[in-house]
Amino acid sequence: NVPFLGGSDVVDVNNANVRVYTRFPGMYPTVAGKLVKYGPYTSFDDIISRKQFTSAEKEVLKKYQKNLTALEPAPEYVIDNYNNGLYR
């Protein structure tokens, strides 16, 4: 999972911290916040089918489709989706 948490061009939408999306223009903070808040997801199609995303936000997501993957959520990463553990 570690490469998909921000160490590569592909980000795991179920486990990555919200700040990882700053590298994708248009994603942070709104789309990234919704990705973290409304997961987990089973696939990119699952993300796009969610009613929480506006049509404009879905276009941003489609722009980065090749950079997004949906791996199995891992409790040790999900707990830090919003807060990367700096404030524990």
Side-chain angles (χ1 to χ4, degrees), residues 20-68:
V20 169
Y21 300 100
T22 59
R23 71 171 70 178
F24 304 114
M27 289 279 287
Y28 186 85
T30 305
V31 178
K34 287 183 177 184
L35 273 174
V36 170
K37 183 175 183 178
Y38 297 113
Y41 307 98
T42 57
S43 66
F44 184 80
D45 289 336
D46 183 25
I47 297 169
I48 294 299
S49 72
R50 302 285 178 105
K51 65 182 179 184
Q52 289 88 356
F53 296 101
T54 66
S55 58
E57 291 167 342
K58 288 178 183 181
E59 289 305 312
V60 171
L61 287 163
K62 288 175 185 175
K63 179 179 176 182
Y64 298 109
Q65 180 176 358
K66 67 177 178 55
N67 300 100
L68 304 175

